[in-house]
Amino acid sequence: MTIMMGISLTGRRVLMVGGGAVTARRLPRFLDEGAEVVVVAPALAAATRELILRHDLEWIPREARADDVQGAWMVHTATGDRRADDEVAGECERRRVLCVNASDGAHGTARMTAQTRSGDVVVGAMSHDGVDPGRAAAVRDAVGAQLRDGRLPLRARRAGGPGRVDLVGGGPGPADLLTVRGRRLLAEADVVVADRLGPTDVLRELEGGVEVIDVGKRPGRHTMPQEQINALLVALAREGKRVVRLKGGDAFVYGRGGEEVAACLAAGIPVEVVPGLTSAVSVPQAAGIPVTHRGTSAGLHVVNGQAEVSPSTLAALADETVTTVVLMGVAALPRLVAAAREAGAPDERPVAIVERGHTPEQRTTRTTLGRVLADAAAAGVRNPAVIVVGEVARVGLLLAEPALTGDATS
Ligand code: SAH
């Protein structure tokens, strides 16, 4: 029979009897907890010796004696000799000190769990009566994987912790193109402040009590101004909430993530950024276009189509060894094309427009600088779309077009 408890050993003496591999394996767990570990053993395995040296631990180089147990809160015995371990355990019993007996099949008054942690949640697995470390580890690993994926209800129920903001880059749309860390932070969040683009499906998987605030632009509604979003993030965190600011792609690529980080820092709110797959790279990829390709394109120039066409963009458009990727560029196409031609880019320069990349409605229009305006108009190209100008957008660069999967190429 067993009761599983959380025991704090910080600053408390833990005696480890035996210097072998089991001691070496378990020692870091006690050290992580901040215990004062003392090792008693006539000889040390290399791994144990190294830990003792690295952490400047006390080593008593002899067999254990009954008195060694005195003053310890916890004893761990792993001498490799069942009789010796049982003797230590017996001494602990007499002196009412909890003891882990690592001998095969033995049961001390305490046992280690197979343990995993995610943020502030700790989960341990063990057997109720018997001893089966392999099974406990397997259960621990399975639960650990779910914790890491954010598949378990990790949200804190008790308020009072400090608030914070996590800026999570959500990638181009599909929930499984969101990072594992981002997914876990979403599972821990009290409030999610979301945009229109990015992994909106994942929001439906969140627990009922999670508040979702949509600040993205939708028909008939306007985007919340950036200053208001900044103020909202700060206000929510000040209420002690765990806030996830979920964005499409990467928060630091035309995501105004930098402004949100600065606003949080200025207000003294802890803030972290989780990178996401930017559409500048992942949307061309969805259409089979590598943004750089040995022998074809040696560089990548990413621009916001709504901004003025800068000299560096003109140079990139004119340079056949550079790929130019334009975000938010559909409305600006005429201006871009005129600028490219003026800069000397040839009419035959390949152009691809990838709409709604990584979604079931993905569509790619392959054309050239000379024809792009007519082709885009004929196809009715709309945002969100990524425009790729450069030799990497040439039809058949990697594979014959029909072999590219998941893309309704027009
Ligand atoms: N932070 C984002 C970009 C935000 S700007 C990122 O790193 O991806 C918004 C622009 O991103 C859109 O106008 C469009 O050009 C592009 N975009 C984002 N998701 C897209 C998608 N799934 N398909 C095509 N373009 C996309």
Side-chain angles (χ1 to χ4, degrees), residues 189-211:
D190 299 308
V191 194
V192 178
V193 179
D195 279 336
R196 184 178 48 103
L197 287 175
T200 42
D201 279 357
V202 80
L203 298 175
R204 282 199 285 277
E205 293 173 11
L206 301 180
E207 276 182 72
V210 181
E211 189 184 351

Side-chain angles (χ1 to χ4, degrees), residues 18-45:
V22 178
T23 295
R25 203 165 58 236
R26 301 256 176 95
L27 226 168
R29 279 180 70 176
F30 291 111
L31 291 178
D32 285 350
E33 174 62 16
E36 268 176 34
V37 179
V38 178
V39 178
V40 53
L44 299 176

Side-chain angles (χ1 to χ4, degrees), residues 148-174:
R148 263 188 307 283
D149 289 355
R151 301 273 160 207
L152 296 178
L154 284 171
R155 191 165 59 88
R157 310 299 144 123
R158 183 172 287 196
R164 61 180 247 201
V165 174
D166 292 297
L167 257 69
V168 173

Side-chain angles (χ1 to χ4, degrees), residues 45-59:
T48 314
R49 180 182 304 278
E50 199 198 308
L51 283 166
I52 287 175
L53 284 174
R54 188 169 351 131
H55 298 280
D56 199 18
L57 305 177
E58 183 184 346
W59 170 39

Side-chain angles (χ1 to χ4, degrees), residues 349-404:
R349 176 88 79 235
V351 176
I353 307 177
V354 189
E355 297 167 84
R356 300 175 295 279
H358 286 288
T359 76
E361 292 83 41
Q362 177 174 321
R363 177 172 73 161
T364 305
T365 303
R366 302 268 190 167
T367 177
T368 61
L369 263 185
R371 293 193 330 236
V372 64
L373 293 182
D375 286 351
V381 165
R382 283 187 298 124
N383 270 321
V386 169
I387 302 165
V388 185
V389 184
E391 292 302 319
V392 289
R394 191 175 287 288
V395 175
L397 174 77
L398 298 185
L399 294 168
E401 198 73 354
L404 298 170

